[in-house]
Amino acid sequence: MQATMTADGIPSLPLEPTVEERAIRESVSAIASKYGPDYWAEKVKAKAPMSELLRELGDAGFLGIHLPEEYGGGGMGIFELSMVMEETARQGCPIAGLVFSSGIGAPIIAQHGTEEQKKAWVPDLATGKQLFSFAITEPDAGSNTHNIKTTAVKNGNKWVINGQKYWTTGLDLADKVLIVARTGTDEKTGRGLLSLFLADADSPGINKTVIPSFMHIPEQSFQVFFDNLEVPEDRLIGGLHKGLHTVFTGLNPERIVAATNIMGIARYALDKAANYARDRSVWGKPIGTHQGVAHPLAKAKIELELAALMARKAALMHDHGLPAGDFSNMAKFAAGEAALHCMDAAIGTHGGNAVAMEYKLMPYWPMVRMTKNGPVSPEMILNYVAQTMLGLPRSY
C-alpha cells in the first residue's frame, strides 16, 4: 500500500480500508472459504500440505503478492501478504508454513539473492510451486543466535555443513531449506560469523526426526542433523559472514505475518463465539445478553483491533523502507496477547461445547498459544522494548 507520509517521514494510516484492500481481503476469503475448518482438520490429521488451497492462492497471485513483478510477483508488500495470511486463517485455514516460506524465505531471496538466484527461485515462490523451510534454532542456542554451532566449511566449489537444528517446521513439506551456519569467528568478540545457505530439502546429508508434539497443524517440526551436507557455492545467500544481516531481512516480515496469522484465527474464534452467544438461549434469552458473556468478548475485540493497528503500522513501515523493528516486535507481542484472549473468551462463551468437535474451536488453541512464544518470545520482545525504546540497560 502507498500510504501518505507525515512530516517526520512516517506512513500515516488511512482511516478506512482502501478499495484495493477490500478487494484483496474479499478475494482471499472467497478462495479460503471454499475449504474451511473441515479441510484444514483433514490436512492436520494426515500431516499433509494444503496443496489445493495453496495452488488456488498461488494461481490467483496471492502467495507472491509481496514479491517483485519482474520475477512473477505482485509488486506489493508485506502489508498485502499480511492480509492474505489473516483472511485465510479467518476462514479456518491458517497456513503456518507460509510464515517461513513467504514471510522469511521469499523476502530474503528477493532482496539479497543474486540475479541468478532471484530468477531461479522467486517465480516458484510467488506461485507456491515451491515452499521453503527455515533452520536457525539450535538446542543449545535458543534466542542466542551468535551461539550457533552448526558449521559450514568451504571445500573446493562446495560448502560442507555439519551440525544440528531444532524445531525446524515444515521441512517435510518444503522443497528447500534456508540454513544459518557458522563460517568463522569474530576475533574481537568471539562471536560466530554467520552465513546463510539454501539446500534442497531432500539432499543427502539431511536427516530429520519428527518432534512429537501437541501442535494441531498440518506442518510437523523436526530435529535436523546435517552430516557432511554438500551445498554448491552458488547457494550462499547474501554474502560470506553476512548471514545475520541477511536473516534480519526476513525477521520483521516473519513477526508481522505470524501476528496476522493468529489474528485471523482470533477473528475466526470471535465470529463463532458471537454467533453462538446470539443463538444460544438459556432462561429464555440469548446468553449474549449477559454482560458476563458479552464483556469478555468485547474486551478481546478491543485488544484485537489495537493489535491489528500495530501490525498495519509495522507492515507499512517495512514496505516504505523505514525502520520497522520496534513496530514489528510490538505487533507480534500485541497479537499474541490479543489472540489468546480472543480464544479464551470464545472458549468461555461455548462452555462445555468448546471441546466438542462439532464446534471446530479447540483445535486452533495450540497454534495461538505457541505463537505467543514464537517466533521471538514475549520476554525477548520486552527486553528489546526496554533496551532500544526506553534506553534501559541490557538485561540479558
Side-chain angles (χ1 to χ4, degrees):
M1 171 189 285
Q2 289 298 316
T4 58
M5 309 296 282
T6 62
D8 54 359
I10 296 177
S12 61
L13 296 176
L15 294 178
E16 294 292 337
T18 64
V19 173
E20 183 180 68
E21 180 180 345
R22 290 182 184 276
I24 292 172
R25 290 187 180 277
E26 290 172 2
S27 296
V28 173
S29 293
I31 292 172
S33 64
K34 293 188 294 184
Y35 296 90
D38 288 335
Y39 169 83
W40 184 77
E42 291 173 6
K43 297 298 183 178
V44 170
K45 184 176 181 180
K47 293 299 178 185
M50 292 183 277
S51 302
E52 299 84 0
L53 174 57
L54 286 168
R55 186 179 304 114
E56 197 162 348
L57 289 171
D59 289 345
F62 291 121
L63 298 185
I65 196 170
H66 59 311
L67 298 176
E69 290 181 278
E70 59 265 39
Y71 304 107
M76 296 184 185
I78 293 300
F79 178 79
E80 286 78 15
L81 178 65
S82 68
M83 288 192 285
V84 175
M85 296 293 293
E86 184 174 353
E87 293 304 321
T88 52
R90 187 172 188 169
Q91 298 302 324
C93 292
I95 312 176
L98 288 185
V99 173
F100 308 103
S101 188
S102 296
I104 299 178
I108 285 176
I109 301 299
Q111 183 166 332
H112 294 285
T114 64
E115 187 63 25
E116 290 74 17
Q117 290 169 342
K118 292 176 184 178
K119 289 179 178 178
W121 303 315
V122 174
D124 282 348
L125 283 167
T127 60
K129 291 180 180 178
Q130 287 204 5
L131 297 175
F132 283 11
S133 185
F134 182 58
I136 185 171
T137 303
E138 296 188 1
D140 298 325
S143 297
N144 185 5
T145 305
H146 292 286
N147 203 34
I148 281 176
K149 295 179 180 178
T150 296
T151 61
V153 178
K154 189 72 178 295
N155 183 8
N157 62 352
K158 296 180 179 179
W159 289 91
V160 180
I161 300 177
N162 284 281
Q164 172 183 2
K165 298 292 181 181
Y166 202 48
W167 289 107
T168 300
T169 300
L171 185 57
D172 55 330
L173 310 181
D175 301 279
K176 291 182 171 58
V177 55
L178 285 162
I179 304 167
V180 181
R182 179 188 288 254
T183 48
T185 302
D186 188 322
E187 295 180 0
K188 295 181 180 179
T189 65
R191 289 179 167 183
L193 296 172
L194 307 178
S195 300
L196 184 65
F197 301 89
L198 185 66
D200 294 334
D202 59 355
S203 297
I206 296 181
N207 299 295
K208 59 184 183 290
T209 302
V210 172
I211 300 174
S213 79
F214 289 102
M215 279 294 285
H216 203 77
I217 57 176
E219 302 87 352
Q220 298 189 91
S221 295
F222 295 86
Q223 187 168 10
V224 187
F225 298 91
F226 304 115
D227 184 12
N228 291 323
L229 168 65
E230 294 186 350
V231 178
E233 60 183 351
D234 63 0
R235 293 291 188 89
L236 173 67
I237 309 297
L240 184 63
H241 304 330
K242 296 181 179 179
L244 201 55
H245 169 73
T246 304
V247 164
F248 267 99
T249 299
L251 293 189
N252 285 334
E254 175 197 35
R255 284 154 172 67
I256 295 166
V257 298
T260 53
N261 187 49
I262 59 169
M263 286 194 301
I265 301 173
R267 294 191 188 282
Y268 168 88
L270 276 184
D271 288 345
K272 290 182 73 68
N275 289 333
Y276 188 85
R278 284 190 295 266
D279 294 341
R280 178 157 174 77
S281 292
V282 178
W283 308 112
K285 61 177 65 176
I287 62 173
T289 61
H290 302 295
Q291 292 178 348
V293 173
H295 282 188
L297 294 175
K299 183 180 179 182
K301 172 67 172 176
I302 291 170
E303 292 183 32
L304 180 60
E305 296 306 334
L306 291 173
L309 282 174
M310 184 57 69
R312 188 182 185 93
K313 190 77 169 182
L316 287 172
M317 292 289 286
H318 175 276
D319 291 344
H320 283 79
L322 299 171
D326 294 354
F327 299 99
S328 299
N329 276 294
M330 289 191 291
K332 167 61 175 58
F333 184 95
E337 295 288 322
L340 197 57
H341 293 162
C342 288
M343 285 296 302
D344 189 64
I347 290 168
T349 299
H350 281 78
N353 280 334
V355 296
M357 296 181 68
E358 173 188 355
Y359 290 90
K360 303 177 179 66
L361 183 62
M362 285 297 289
Y364 298 94
W365 186 88
M367 184 190 298
V368 169
R369 181 59 186 85
M370 289 311 298
T371 304
K372 178 181 176 180
N373 279 15
V376 68
S377 70
E379 293 77 16
M380 287 303 294
I381 293 175
L382 293 175
N383 287 337
Y384 174 91
V385 170
Q387 182 181 339
T388 65
M389 300 184 72
L390 298 178
L392 299 178
R394 184 183 176 99
S395 61
Y396 62 97

